Amino acid sequence: MLVVAAALGLAFSQTVLAAPAALAGNPLATASTLPFHYPQFDKIKDEHFIPAFNEGMRQQLKEVDAIANNKAAPSFDNTIVAMEKSGALLTRVQTIFGNLQGANTNDKLDAIDSEMSPKLAAHADAIYLNAKLYARVKALYDKRATLKLDAESEHLLERYHTDFVRAGANLSAADKEKLKAINGTIAKLQTTFTQNVLKETNASGLLVDTREELAGMSPAAIDAAAAAAKAKGQDGKFLVAVVNTSGQPPLAELTNRAVREKLMALSLARGSHGGEFDNRDVVLKIAKARAEKATLLGYENFAAYSLEDQTAHDTASVNKLLSELAKPAVNNARKEAADLQAVVDADKGGFKIDASDWAFYTDKVRAQRFAFDENQLKPYFELNNVLTNGVFYAANKLYGLSFKERKDLPVYNPDVRVFDVFDADGKQLAIFIADMYARSNKQGGAWMNEYISQSSLLGTHSVVANHLNIPKPPAGEPTLLTYDEVKTAFHEFGHALHGMFSNVKYPRFSGTSVPRDFVEYPSQVNEMWAVWPEVLSNYAKHYKTGEPMPKELLDKVLASKKFNQGFLTTEYLSASLLDQRWHQLTPAQIPTDVLAFEAQSLKDMGVDFAPVPPRYRTTYFSHSFSGGYSAGYYAYLWSEKLDADTVEWFKENGGLQRKNGDWFRAKLLSRGGTDDAMNLFRNFRGRDPVIEPLLERRGLNGK
Ligand SMILES: [Zn+2]
């Protein structure tokens, strides 16, 4: 999963300033004196945050004003470097607050978040729309060729210029006002879209009259459906809730085909069947407003605006990747459909496989082909063993790292573990925080974040954390992981390595400060070591007997993971294509009929295969229309293409060896955002990425 972005990107300084009176006694006021500025978790209280936020914003605005109004002519040092050094306090409080709110929150922290979010957004605007400040940045940018900057500094100057331009700094005063208005419109529409999706989902459950109609679901799930119906005043009936993907989990279980069809139909109709929460008009307005914003900023369409700042760079590259995959994915899905149809026919079903049947018959085929219980693996995946003899072991073999646990630093929860990380030459490289257990006050999923980012300008080294959500066993019981949890541990540590190996000058470029469609790449690569034979045999041992894991067990798991990839890739791809289509329109091209446009787009791209609908249809596609991944849903596959190609490189070059790890580190992991991300890849791989390893991995190469 994602890396949590630490801050605005402007502010990372750790300069120790005298604490202002407003922050007397506040441990956030100055940089921590613990090793590597490790946070003083034992001293920081909830009430310290708001005053530190307010003072941090005040200080940074003062610093930025001084830069903007400097009487001296703009120089790289007095403008760009000065901005890199600004905002030390704000960065500190924002980083610690964001991390604690994700990993260890409470009602007070949630309330502080609601209070501070709009203030922080306005704070960013106050910096980016400061005309005097931008004038200095632009003056430097315009004569950058004569400044004799080193490559990283020149890239930083370009980065600042881009950030300002993309925020609208180059517009006339009148256009700035227009942009603000459009931004306001988009924000409002996005909120409406999000609320409609949620309300429609809540209102869309499948109501049935009898228990028998839900045959196949577990008794507990049927009881829950009865309770849900009762809560909505439908005592005696049964209400099956829906989730926000097109596919619905009960479709794998329901034996009554007519009931499956009803559930699928209502899922696919969400947001587009009329009524109060219909999102069709909202979608058209969002698409139009975004297209207008792009036009105002000088781009052909919104996707072009969004992608310019990504590894993919332009719509042509994204369209190429998606169309390269569309045909093999759909072909494979058709083959999978034929396998499912064979089961239907053998049962004398007398019908053609449809979207509502897919999960049900896939589970049947899966059970026949891969008869095993995944729980058989767990005794071989004990947490501490996985971490120290698996994850750390691989990092030692590849990069020469060693790890030493320390118990003297404060933690925000007693289960959190802290390790000093040493480089091959014995020098300390970083501090690594392992927060592995699930808690009720911890955000779901898994993620990495940084408390302190590396920067030679500021003299800082990384303090990074990995967060997982492994259920904590009762006292005295071992923590045994699933295969997916093991992979997640390796994945998140891949992000941690990206942070810890950072060897850059400027905080703006530290570690994982890379484009959205690049950041998952190093972490996905690190997953390969979880099943690398030398690593696996070092950690996958029975927690009681020490016996190695039987190979046939792992082989079954790995084989079952390739199953159903045609379906999974096609549904993902269809949604990615829709996301691009909607955002590659000019204002004049916005259609009037959402569903017709959607159908035509899927047909044009060759992914209109009815048994596999898009993972999200337009009217409930929150990634695309609520903000976060607009024109960016392709990013997961984009990263995976680089990842699969890199895994091949490791295999071609002898796998788990220092020379390979050192090369990957030197060319890529240590470089953060200091260069164009595709340049980093080319420097590492010696060429552009190719698609074949990804096709092979997803079983899409026709073999
Ligand atoms: Zn990730």
Side-chain angles (χ1 to χ4, degrees):
M1 126 112 202
L2 290 172
V3 175
V4 176
L8 295 177
L10 276 172
F12 280 93
S13 175
Q14 296 296 329
T15 315
V16 182
L17 298 167
L23 298 184
N26 190 324
L28 294 164
T30 53
S32 162
T33 52
L34 294 172
F36 285 26
H37 303 307
Y38 180 97
Q40 305 176 84
F41 291 119
D42 52 342
K43 301 206 172 106
I44 298 166
K45 304 274 180 286
D46 296 344
E47 57 270 25
H48 292 136
F49 286 112
I50 286 186
F53 266 121
N54 288 332
E55 177 61 18
M57 285 189 282
R58 195 192 65 78
Q59 279 185 14
Q60 190 175 28
L61 283 186
K62 208 175 144 199
E63 289 161 341
V64 165
D65 271 353
I67 297 167
N69 294 303
N70 191 342
K71 294 271 189 310
S75 70
F76 184 76
D77 259 3
N78 74 18
T79 304
I80 305 296
V81 175
M83 282 170 69
E84 283 286 277
K85 289 180 174 172
S86 78
L89 171 60
L90 183 59
T91 299
R92 184 161 56 245
V93 56
Q94 209 169 356
T95 306
I96 295 174
F97 176 80
N99 291 348
L100 284 180
Q101 206 224 346
N104 207 48
T105 195
N106 58 47
D107 289 347
K108 259 194 205 163
L109 294 188
D110 289 347
I112 294 171
D113 187 35
S114 301
E115 181 183 338
M116 297 314 301
S117 289
K119 290 188 184 172
L120 289 166
H123 177 72
D125 279 348
I127 294 171
Y128 284 113
L129 297 178
N130 181 323
K132 281 186 187 167
L133 184 60
Y134 175 60
R136 295 179 75 90
V137 173
K138 186 168 186 314
L140 290 166
Y141 177 80
D142 287 345
K143 59 172 185 183
R144 64 194 180 285
T146 66
L147 294 177
K148 299 200 174 75
L149 297 173
D150 61 83
E152 184 178 341
S153 300
E154 188 168 343
H155 193 59
L156 182 70
L157 174 55
E158 289 166 359
R159 185 64 255 177
Y160 266 84
H161 182 255
T162 303
D163 287 347
F164 274 88
V165 171
R166 289 177 59 79
N170 249 343
L171 298 177
S172 68
D175 280 350
K176 273 183 191 162
E177 291 311 308
K178 263 192 215 164
L179 181 62
K180 278 185 199 164
I182 294 174
N183 282 339
T185 303
I186 293 173
K188 259 190 221 161
L189 288 166
Q190 286 180 174
T191 304
T192 307
F193 183 91
T194 309
Q195 288 174 357
N196 279 348
V197 169
L198 185 66
K199 287 174 187 164
E200 177 82 338
T201 300
N202 289 336
S204 294
L206 173 70
L207 192 67
V208 299
D209 294 332
T210 64
R211 223 179 159 85
E212 288 67 40
E213 287 168 277
L214 299 184
M217 287 173 63
S218 71
I222 297 176
D223 289 345
K230 192 175 177 183
K232 291 212 172 172
Q234 300 280 350
D235 205 357
K237 295 191 179 184
F238 302 84
L239 184 66
V240 180
V242 296
V243 296
N244 195 37
T245 45
S246 292
Q248 298 297 326
L251 290 171
E253 301 165 338
L254 291 163
T255 57
N256 185 324
R257 185 159 194 259
V259 175
R260 286 204 302 269
E261 282 176 331
K262 273 187 215 160
L263 179 58
M264 188 80 236
L266 72 83
S267 173
L268 293 174
R270 279 174 293 144
S272 62
H273 58 89
E276 202 180 346
F277 311 126
D278 197 301
N279 255 338
R280 284 175 292 182
D281 190 43
V282 184
V283 163
L284 296 175
K285 285 180 177 158
I286 292 175
K288 184 144 191 278
R290 285 179 180 165
E292 284 170 347
K293 173 174 174 168
T295 304
L296 192 59
L297 289 165
Y299 296 84
E300 194 181 345
N301 53 54
F302 186 80
Y305 166 70
S306 173
L307 292 171
E308 182 203 52
D309 215 25
Q310 298 293 315
T311 305
H313 272 312
D314 50 52
T315 53
S317 309
V318 172
N319 292 344
K320 181 166 180 284
L321 172 78
L322 298 180
S323 59
E324 273 177 338
L325 283 177
K327 203 178 164 200
V330 175
N331 281 347
N332 212 1
R334 287 184 192 278
K335 278 184 215 153
E336 289 167 4
D339 287 348
L340 306 184
Q341 190 67 48
V343 179
V344 172
D345 295 347
D347 290 352
K348 301 213 181 324
F351 58 86
K352 213 164 158 249
I353 280 283
D354 201 351
S356 60
D357 303 313
W358 195 284
F360 186 76
Y361 285 93
T362 293
D363 266 19
K364 280 197 168 193
V365 174
R366 200 198 309 267
Q368 283 169 10
R369 285 196 198 163
F370 311 101
F372 78 99
D373 176 2
E374 226 179 294
N375 285 324
Q376 290 173 317
L377 290 168
K378 293 183 76 171
Y380 300 94
F381 293 151
E382 189 274 322
L383 173 60
N384 189 52
N385 223 356
V386 169
L387 185 65
T388 57
N389 295 322
V391 173
F392 289 173
Y393 175 79
N396 176 264
K397 291 289 161 188
L398 284 162
Y399 308 108
L401 297 185
S402 57
F403 301 83
K404 192 159 181 263
E405 185 161 14
R406 60 189 293 172
K407 309 258 186 187
D408 58 323
L409 292 176
V411 288
Y412 52 84
N413 179 286
D415 289 333
V416 173
R417 299 172 68 182
V418 182
F419 297 85
D420 284 337
V421 184
F422 299 94
D423 226 327
D425 62 4
K427 270 197 205 148
Q428 186 165 358
L429 176 73
I431 293 179
F432 174 66
I433 299 173
D435 177 3
M436 308 303 260
Y437 287 114
R439 289 186 294 276
S440 60
N441 65 348
K442 188 177 185 178
Q443 180 185 306
W447 70 97
M448 166 272 197
N449 58 36
E450 296 185 302
Y451 281 97
I452 304 290
S453 299
Q454 181 274 336
S455 156
S456 67
L457 177 73
L458 307 178
T460 51
H461 300 276
S462 304
V463 176
V464 308
N466 276 177
H467 302 274
L468 272 70
N469 264 288
I470 298 166
K472 196 179 174 186
E477 298 281 320
T479 306
L480 304 178
L481 274 56
T482 65
Y483 170 75
D484 287 338
E485 285 165 346
V486 170
K487 260 183 68 173
T488 303
F490 277 86
H491 176 100
E492 296 308 330
F493 199 72
H495 288 307
L497 290 171
H498 204 182
M500 296 192 293
F501 283 149
S502 176
N503 185 15
V504 305
K505 184 170 183 185
Y506 301 111
R508 178 69 177 77
F509 292 144
S510 189
T512 52
S513 309
V514 297
R516 181 177 60 191
D517 62 2
F518 193 75
V519 75
E520 293 300 321
Y521 153 51
S523 54
Q524 289 177 351
V525 169
N526 205 53
E527 291 177 26
M528 73 179 285
W529 308 114
V531 292
W532 192 259
E534 188 189 338
V535 179
L536 188 75
S537 64
N538 196 61
Y539 78 88
K541 293 176 181 168
H542 197 285
Y543 77 99
K544 269 187 192 158
T545 64
E547 294 282 316
M549 182 166 69
K551 190 176 177 306
E552 58 271 23
L553 253 184
L554 182 74
D555 288 347
K556 279 183 186 173
V557 180
L558 297 181
S560 77
K561 300 288 172 193
K562 264 199 175 181
F563 183 67
N564 206 35
Q565 285 293 340
F567 174 90
L568 293 171
T569 308
T570 301
E571 70 157 8
Y572 168 82
L573 220 45
S574 307
S576 303
L577 286 161
L578 285 179
D579 173 44
Q580 287 303 317
R581 280 289 166 124
W582 278 112
H583 292 107
Q584 292 186 17
L585 299 169
T586 64
Q589 290 170 332
I590 303 297
T592 51
D593 184 335
V594 169
L595 297 187
F597 179 80
E598 179 183 288
Q600 189 61 45
S601 298
L602 297 176
K603 190 154 184 269
D604 291 346
M605 299 305 299
V607 290
D608 56 333
F609 181 44
V612 186
R615 185 169 169 79
Y616 304 96
R617 291 191 73 190
T618 302
T619 50
Y620 51 88
F621 197 175
S622 296
H623 291 82
S624 193
F625 292 101
S626 292
Y629 274 74
S630 36
Y633 194 60
Y634 76 95
Y636 296 95
L637 256 187
W638 186 269
S639 283
E640 196 180 334
K641 178 179 171 182
L642 306 180
D643 151 36
D645 199 12
T646 300
V647 168
E648 281 314 297
W649 179 87
F650 272 105
K651 287 180 180 168
E652 285 163 14
N653 288 281
L656 188 77
Q657 293 186 28
R658 270 295 297 279
K659 71 172 172 78
N660 292 343
D662 286 349
W663 180 258
F664 191 42
R665 173 178 176 174
K667 296 291 172 185
L668 211 135
L669 294 176
S670 63
R671 302 291 312 278
T674 54
D675 194 356
D676 174 271
M678 287 312 285
N679 279 345
L680 294 180
F681 181 89
R682 274 182 220 109
N683 291 342
F684 156 69
R685 190 65 169 101
R687 57 159 171 74
D688 282 326
V690 296
I691 191 78
E692 286 73 17
L694 174 63
L695 297 182
E696 167 76 26
R697 169 187 295 188
R698 288 191 165 240
L700 294 169
N701 51 0
K703 282 179 198 159

